Short mmCIF file of all heavy atoms in Angstrom, two decimals:
data_model
loop_
_atom_site.label_atom_id
_atom_site.label_comp_id
_atom_site.label_asym_id
_atom_site.label_seq_id
_atom_site.Cartn_x
_atom_site.Cartn_y
_atom_site.Cartn_z
N LEU A 1843 17.55 -11.21 -23.19
CA LEU A 1843 18.36 -10.03 -23.50
C LEU A 1843 18.78 -10.03 -24.97
O LEU A 1843 18.66 -9.02 -25.67
CB LEU A 1843 19.58 -10.02 -22.59
CG LEU A 1843 20.19 -8.65 -22.33
CD1 LEU A 1843 19.19 -7.75 -21.61
CD2 LEU A 1843 21.46 -8.78 -21.51
N LYS A 1844 19.23 -11.20 -25.43
CA LYS A 1844 19.76 -11.24 -26.79
C LYS A 1844 18.65 -11.20 -27.85
O LYS A 1844 18.93 -11.11 -29.04
CB LYS A 1844 20.65 -12.46 -26.98
CG LYS A 1844 19.99 -13.79 -26.69
CD LYS A 1844 21.02 -14.91 -26.86
CE LYS A 1844 20.48 -16.25 -26.46
NZ LYS A 1844 20.10 -16.31 -25.02
N HIS A 1845 17.41 -11.25 -27.40
CA HIS A 1845 16.30 -11.17 -28.37
C HIS A 1845 15.86 -9.73 -28.59
O HIS A 1845 14.76 -9.49 -29.07
CB HIS A 1845 15.13 -12.04 -27.90
CG HIS A 1845 15.47 -13.49 -27.85
ND1 HIS A 1845 15.73 -14.24 -28.97
CD2 HIS A 1845 15.66 -14.34 -26.80
CE1 HIS A 1845 16.04 -15.47 -28.62
NE2 HIS A 1845 16.00 -15.56 -27.30
N GLY A 1846 16.62 -8.77 -28.20
CA GLY A 1846 16.25 -7.37 -28.46
C GLY A 1846 17.02 -6.36 -27.63
O GLY A 1846 17.84 -5.59 -28.17
N PRO A 1847 16.81 -6.35 -26.31
CA PRO A 1847 17.38 -5.25 -25.52
C PRO A 1847 18.91 -5.20 -25.47
O PRO A 1847 19.46 -4.19 -25.06
CB PRO A 1847 16.78 -5.45 -24.13
CG PRO A 1847 16.20 -6.79 -24.13
CD PRO A 1847 15.94 -7.20 -25.52
N LEU A 1848 19.58 -6.26 -25.93
CA LEU A 1848 21.04 -6.22 -25.98
C LEU A 1848 21.49 -5.01 -26.82
O LEU A 1848 22.57 -4.45 -26.62
CB LEU A 1848 21.57 -7.54 -26.56
CG LEU A 1848 23.04 -7.87 -26.32
CD1 LEU A 1848 23.39 -7.88 -24.84
CD2 LEU A 1848 23.38 -9.22 -26.93
N ALA A 1849 20.64 -4.61 -27.76
CA ALA A 1849 20.95 -3.45 -28.61
C ALA A 1849 21.15 -2.18 -27.78
O ALA A 1849 21.82 -1.25 -28.21
CB ALA A 1849 19.82 -3.23 -29.63
N LEU A 1850 20.57 -2.14 -26.61
CA LEU A 1850 20.68 -0.93 -25.76
C LEU A 1850 22.00 -0.87 -25.00
O LEU A 1850 22.37 0.18 -24.49
CB LEU A 1850 19.55 -0.92 -24.72
CG LEU A 1850 18.13 -0.72 -25.21
CD1 LEU A 1850 17.17 -0.95 -24.05
CD2 LEU A 1850 17.96 0.68 -25.77
N ILE A 1851 22.64 -2.03 -24.86
CA ILE A 1851 23.80 -2.10 -23.96
C ILE A 1851 24.96 -1.26 -24.49
O ILE A 1851 25.36 -1.39 -25.64
CB ILE A 1851 24.24 -3.58 -23.76
CG1 ILE A 1851 23.12 -4.38 -23.08
CG2 ILE A 1851 25.55 -3.66 -22.95
CD1 ILE A 1851 22.75 -3.94 -21.69
N ASN A 1852 25.46 -0.40 -23.63
CA ASN A 1852 26.64 0.41 -23.94
C ASN A 1852 27.22 0.87 -22.59
O ASN A 1852 26.59 0.65 -21.54
CB ASN A 1852 26.27 1.57 -24.87
CG ASN A 1852 25.42 2.61 -24.15
OD1 ASN A 1852 25.90 3.26 -23.22
ND2 ASN A 1852 24.17 2.74 -24.55
N PRO A 1853 28.37 1.50 -22.57
CA PRO A 1853 28.97 1.83 -21.26
C PRO A 1853 28.10 2.74 -20.40
O PRO A 1853 28.29 2.82 -19.19
CB PRO A 1853 30.28 2.54 -21.65
CG PRO A 1853 30.56 2.08 -23.05
CD PRO A 1853 29.25 1.82 -23.69
N ASP A 1854 27.13 3.42 -21.02
CA ASP A 1854 26.27 4.33 -20.24
C ASP A 1854 25.00 3.67 -19.71
O ASP A 1854 24.19 4.34 -19.07
CB ASP A 1854 25.86 5.52 -21.12
CG ASP A 1854 26.91 6.60 -21.03
OD1 ASP A 1854 27.62 6.60 -20.00
OD2 ASP A 1854 27.01 7.38 -21.97
N LEU A 1855 24.77 2.43 -20.06
CA LEU A 1855 23.58 1.73 -19.53
C LEU A 1855 24.04 0.51 -18.75
O LEU A 1855 24.15 -0.59 -19.30
CB LEU A 1855 22.63 1.33 -20.66
CG LEU A 1855 21.32 0.74 -20.12
CD1 LEU A 1855 20.31 1.83 -19.81
CD2 LEU A 1855 20.71 -0.26 -21.10
N PRO A 1856 24.35 0.67 -17.47
CA PRO A 1856 24.81 -0.48 -16.69
C PRO A 1856 23.71 -1.50 -16.44
O PRO A 1856 22.52 -1.14 -16.48
CB PRO A 1856 25.29 0.15 -15.38
CG PRO A 1856 24.70 1.50 -15.32
CD PRO A 1856 24.28 1.92 -16.69
N THR A 1857 24.13 -2.72 -16.15
CA THR A 1857 23.17 -3.79 -15.87
C THR A 1857 23.36 -4.29 -14.45
O THR A 1857 24.49 -4.56 -14.03
CB THR A 1857 23.39 -4.98 -16.84
OG1 THR A 1857 23.21 -4.49 -18.17
CG2 THR A 1857 22.41 -6.11 -16.59
N VAL A 1858 22.25 -4.41 -13.73
CA VAL A 1858 22.28 -5.09 -12.44
C VAL A 1858 21.86 -6.53 -12.72
O VAL A 1858 20.75 -6.77 -13.21
CB VAL A 1858 21.30 -4.44 -11.43
CG1 VAL A 1858 21.25 -5.23 -10.14
CG2 VAL A 1858 21.71 -2.99 -11.17
N ALA A 1859 22.76 -7.47 -12.45
CA ALA A 1859 22.48 -8.87 -12.80
C ALA A 1859 22.36 -9.71 -11.53
O ALA A 1859 23.22 -9.62 -10.64
CB ALA A 1859 23.62 -9.41 -13.66
N LEU A 1860 21.30 -10.50 -11.47
CA LEU A 1860 21.08 -11.38 -10.30
C LEU A 1860 21.67 -12.74 -10.63
O LEU A 1860 21.24 -13.38 -11.60
CB LEU A 1860 19.59 -11.46 -10.00
CG LEU A 1860 19.06 -10.06 -9.70
CD1 LEU A 1860 17.59 -9.95 -9.96
CD2 LEU A 1860 19.41 -9.65 -8.28
N VAL A 1861 22.70 -13.13 -9.87
CA VAL A 1861 23.45 -14.33 -10.23
C VAL A 1861 23.56 -15.28 -9.05
O VAL A 1861 24.62 -15.42 -8.41
CB VAL A 1861 24.87 -13.96 -10.73
CG1 VAL A 1861 25.44 -15.10 -11.57
CG2 VAL A 1861 24.88 -12.67 -11.53
N PRO A 1862 22.46 -15.97 -8.71
CA PRO A 1862 22.56 -16.95 -7.63
C PRO A 1862 23.36 -18.18 -8.08
O PRO A 1862 23.43 -18.45 -9.28
CB PRO A 1862 21.10 -17.31 -7.35
CG PRO A 1862 20.36 -16.99 -8.61
CD PRO A 1862 21.11 -15.88 -9.28
N ASP A 1863 23.90 -18.88 -7.13
CA ASP A 1863 24.64 -20.10 -7.46
C ASP A 1863 23.64 -21.25 -7.57
O ASP A 1863 23.55 -22.10 -6.70
CB ASP A 1863 25.67 -20.37 -6.35
CG ASP A 1863 26.53 -21.57 -6.66
OD1 ASP A 1863 26.59 -21.96 -7.84
OD2 ASP A 1863 27.14 -22.12 -5.72
N ASP A 1864 22.86 -21.23 -8.64
CA ASP A 1864 21.84 -22.29 -8.79
C ASP A 1864 22.03 -23.00 -10.12
O ASP A 1864 23.05 -22.84 -10.79
CB ASP A 1864 20.43 -21.69 -8.63
CG ASP A 1864 20.08 -20.68 -9.71
OD1 ASP A 1864 20.86 -20.54 -10.68
OD2 ASP A 1864 19.03 -20.03 -9.59
N GLU A 1865 21.05 -23.77 -10.52
CA GLU A 1865 21.19 -24.61 -11.70
C GLU A 1865 21.29 -23.79 -12.99
O GLU A 1865 21.61 -24.33 -14.05
CB GLU A 1865 20.03 -25.63 -11.75
CG GLU A 1865 18.63 -25.08 -12.00
CD GLU A 1865 17.95 -24.46 -10.78
OE1 GLU A 1865 18.61 -24.25 -9.74
OE2 GLU A 1865 16.75 -24.14 -10.89
N LEU A 1866 21.02 -22.48 -12.91
CA LEU A 1866 21.08 -21.65 -14.11
C LEU A 1866 22.33 -20.77 -14.15
O LEU A 1866 22.44 -19.86 -14.97
CB LEU A 1866 19.82 -20.77 -14.19
CG LEU A 1866 18.52 -21.57 -14.34
CD1 LEU A 1866 17.32 -20.66 -14.16
CD2 LEU A 1866 18.46 -22.26 -15.69
N LEU A 1867 23.27 -21.06 -13.26
CA LEU A 1867 24.45 -20.20 -13.13
C LEU A 1867 25.19 -20.05 -14.47
O LEU A 1867 25.53 -18.94 -14.89
CB LEU A 1867 25.39 -20.75 -12.04
CG LEU A 1867 26.71 -20.00 -11.89
CD1 LEU A 1867 26.48 -18.54 -11.53
CD2 LEU A 1867 27.58 -20.66 -10.83
N ASP A 1868 25.46 -21.19 -15.15
CA ASP A 1868 26.24 -21.10 -16.40
C ASP A 1868 25.56 -20.20 -17.40
O ASP A 1868 26.19 -19.42 -18.10
CB ASP A 1868 26.42 -22.50 -17.01
CG ASP A 1868 27.36 -23.33 -16.15
OD1 ASP A 1868 28.03 -22.72 -15.28
OD2 ASP A 1868 27.41 -24.55 -16.35
N LYS A 1869 24.24 -20.32 -17.47
CA LYS A 1869 23.48 -19.50 -18.44
C LYS A 1869 23.64 -18.02 -18.08
O LYS A 1869 23.83 -17.18 -18.95
CB LYS A 1869 21.99 -19.84 -18.40
CG LYS A 1869 21.68 -21.30 -18.50
CD LYS A 1869 21.37 -21.66 -19.94
CE LYS A 1869 21.18 -23.15 -20.08
NZ LYS A 1869 22.05 -23.76 -21.05
N ASN A 1870 23.55 -17.72 -16.78
CA ASN A 1870 23.68 -16.32 -16.35
C ASN A 1870 25.07 -15.79 -16.67
O ASN A 1870 25.21 -14.64 -17.10
CB ASN A 1870 23.38 -16.20 -14.85
CG ASN A 1870 21.89 -16.16 -14.60
OD1 ASN A 1870 21.13 -15.58 -15.38
ND2 ASN A 1870 21.44 -16.80 -13.53
N LEU A 1871 26.09 -16.63 -16.47
CA LEU A 1871 27.46 -16.16 -16.74
C LEU A 1871 27.64 -15.90 -18.25
O LEU A 1871 28.32 -14.95 -18.65
CB LEU A 1871 28.49 -17.17 -16.23
CG LEU A 1871 28.53 -17.29 -14.69
CD1 LEU A 1871 29.57 -18.32 -14.25
CD2 LEU A 1871 28.83 -15.94 -14.02
N THR A 1872 27.00 -16.72 -19.07
CA THR A 1872 27.06 -16.49 -20.52
C THR A 1872 26.46 -15.12 -20.85
O THR A 1872 27.00 -14.36 -21.64
CB THR A 1872 26.29 -17.61 -21.27
OG1 THR A 1872 26.86 -18.84 -20.87
CG2 THR A 1872 26.37 -17.45 -22.77
N THR A 1873 25.33 -14.81 -20.21
CA THR A 1873 24.69 -13.51 -20.47
C THR A 1873 25.62 -12.37 -20.06
O THR A 1873 25.75 -11.37 -20.78
CB THR A 1873 23.35 -13.42 -19.71
OG1 THR A 1873 22.57 -14.54 -20.07
CG2 THR A 1873 22.60 -12.14 -20.05
N LEU A 1874 26.28 -12.52 -18.90
CA LEU A 1874 27.23 -11.48 -18.47
C LEU A 1874 28.32 -11.29 -19.52
O LEU A 1874 28.72 -10.16 -19.83
CB LEU A 1874 27.87 -11.83 -17.12
CG LEU A 1874 26.99 -11.89 -15.89
CD1 LEU A 1874 27.83 -11.73 -14.63
CD2 LEU A 1874 25.92 -10.82 -15.90
N GLY A 1875 28.80 -12.41 -20.07
CA GLY A 1875 29.82 -12.35 -21.13
C GLY A 1875 29.32 -11.56 -22.32
O GLY A 1875 30.04 -10.73 -22.89
N GLU A 1876 28.06 -11.77 -22.67
CA GLU A 1876 27.49 -11.06 -23.83
C GLU A 1876 27.42 -9.54 -23.56
O GLU A 1876 27.62 -8.73 -24.44
CB GLU A 1876 26.10 -11.61 -24.14
CG GLU A 1876 26.16 -13.00 -24.76
CD GLU A 1876 24.83 -13.76 -24.70
OE1 GLU A 1876 23.83 -13.19 -24.20
OE2 GLU A 1876 24.79 -14.91 -25.13
N ILE A 1877 27.12 -9.20 -22.31
CA ILE A 1877 27.06 -7.76 -21.96
C ILE A 1877 28.46 -7.15 -21.99
O ILE A 1877 28.68 -6.08 -22.56
CB ILE A 1877 26.41 -7.58 -20.56
CG1 ILE A 1877 24.97 -8.06 -20.58
CG2 ILE A 1877 26.47 -6.11 -20.12
CD1 ILE A 1877 24.32 -8.17 -19.21
N LYS A 1878 29.42 -7.88 -21.41
CA LYS A 1878 30.78 -7.36 -21.38
C LYS A 1878 31.35 -7.19 -22.79
O LYS A 1878 32.07 -6.24 -23.07
CB LYS A 1878 31.70 -8.29 -20.57
CG LYS A 1878 31.45 -8.30 -19.08
CD LYS A 1878 31.28 -6.95 -18.47
CE LYS A 1878 32.55 -6.12 -18.40
NZ LYS A 1878 32.28 -4.77 -17.84
N ALA A 1879 30.98 -8.11 -23.68
CA ALA A 1879 31.46 -8.03 -25.06
C ALA A 1879 30.95 -6.77 -25.76
O ALA A 1879 31.47 -6.36 -26.78
CB ALA A 1879 31.02 -9.28 -25.83
N ARG A 1880 29.87 -6.17 -25.20
CA ARG A 1880 29.32 -4.90 -25.77
C ARG A 1880 29.73 -3.72 -24.89
O ARG A 1880 29.07 -2.69 -24.88
CB ARG A 1880 27.79 -4.96 -25.86
CG ARG A 1880 27.28 -5.60 -27.14
CD ARG A 1880 27.29 -7.09 -26.98
NE ARG A 1880 26.94 -7.79 -28.20
CZ ARG A 1880 27.08 -9.11 -28.32
NH1 ARG A 1880 27.53 -9.84 -27.32
NH2 ARG A 1880 26.76 -9.69 -29.46
N ALA A 1881 30.78 -3.88 -24.11
CA ALA A 1881 31.32 -2.82 -23.24
C ALA A 1881 30.31 -2.35 -22.21
O ALA A 1881 30.36 -1.21 -21.75
CB ALA A 1881 31.82 -1.64 -24.07
N GLY A 1882 29.37 -3.23 -21.83
CA GLY A 1882 28.39 -2.87 -20.80
C GLY A 1882 29.00 -3.03 -19.41
O GLY A 1882 29.84 -3.91 -19.18
N ARG A 1883 28.62 -2.18 -18.47
CA ARG A 1883 29.08 -2.34 -17.08
C ARG A 1883 28.11 -3.26 -16.35
O ARG A 1883 26.90 -3.22 -16.61
CB ARG A 1883 29.09 -0.99 -16.37
CG ARG A 1883 30.02 0.00 -16.98
CD ARG A 1883 30.03 1.26 -16.15
NE ARG A 1883 30.89 1.11 -14.96
CZ ARG A 1883 30.83 1.90 -13.90
NH1 ARG A 1883 29.94 2.86 -13.84
NH2 ARG A 1883 31.64 1.73 -12.87
N VAL A 1884 28.61 -4.04 -15.43
CA VAL A 1884 27.76 -5.01 -14.71
C VAL A 1884 27.96 -4.88 -13.20
O VAL A 1884 29.09 -4.87 -12.72
CB VAL A 1884 28.06 -6.46 -15.15
CG1 VAL A 1884 27.28 -7.45 -14.29
CG2 VAL A 1884 27.72 -6.66 -16.61
N LEU A 1885 26.85 -4.74 -12.50
CA LEU A 1885 26.85 -4.86 -11.04
C LEU A 1885 26.15 -6.18 -10.72
O LEU A 1885 24.95 -6.32 -10.98
CB LEU A 1885 26.09 -3.68 -10.42
CG LEU A 1885 25.76 -3.76 -8.93
CD1 LEU A 1885 27.01 -3.97 -8.08
CD2 LEU A 1885 25.03 -2.52 -8.46
N ALA A 1886 26.92 -7.13 -10.22
CA ALA A 1886 26.33 -8.46 -9.94
C ALA A 1886 25.89 -8.54 -8.49
O ALA A 1886 26.58 -8.05 -7.59
CB ALA A 1886 27.36 -9.54 -10.23
N VAL A 1887 24.72 -9.10 -8.29
CA VAL A 1887 24.27 -9.46 -6.94
C VAL A 1887 24.31 -10.98 -6.92
O VAL A 1887 23.54 -11.63 -7.64
CB VAL A 1887 22.87 -8.91 -6.64
CG1 VAL A 1887 22.41 -9.32 -5.25
CG2 VAL A 1887 22.85 -7.39 -6.79
N ALA A 1888 25.26 -11.53 -6.17
CA ALA A 1888 25.59 -12.95 -6.36
C ALA A 1888 25.92 -13.62 -5.04
O ALA A 1888 26.20 -12.96 -4.04
CB ALA A 1888 26.78 -13.05 -7.31
N HIS A 1889 25.91 -14.95 -5.09
CA HIS A 1889 26.40 -15.73 -3.95
C HIS A 1889 27.93 -15.72 -3.93
O HIS A 1889 28.56 -15.61 -4.99
CB HIS A 1889 25.89 -17.17 -4.02
CG HIS A 1889 24.42 -17.27 -3.77
ND1 HIS A 1889 23.62 -18.20 -4.40
CD2 HIS A 1889 23.61 -16.54 -2.97
CE1 HIS A 1889 22.37 -18.05 -3.96
NE2 HIS A 1889 22.35 -17.05 -3.11
#
Side-chain angles (χ1 to χ4, degrees):
L1843 206 63
K1844 57 182 174 298
H1845 296 293
L1848 198 56
L1850 292 172
I1851 297 297
N1852 70 65
D1854 273 337
L1855 186 86
T1857 300
V1858 175
L1860 300 156
V1861 201
D1863 183 19
D1864 64 8
E1865 68 281 10
L1866 296 170
L1867 175 61
D1868 290 347
K1869 310 264 175 236
N1870 279 323
L1871 292 180
T1872 304
T1873 306
L1874 294 202
E1876 287 162 2
I1877 296 169
K1878 289 315 289 177
R1880 274 83 186 170
R1883 298 184 80 197
V1884 174
L1885 168 57
V1887 179
H1889 290 146

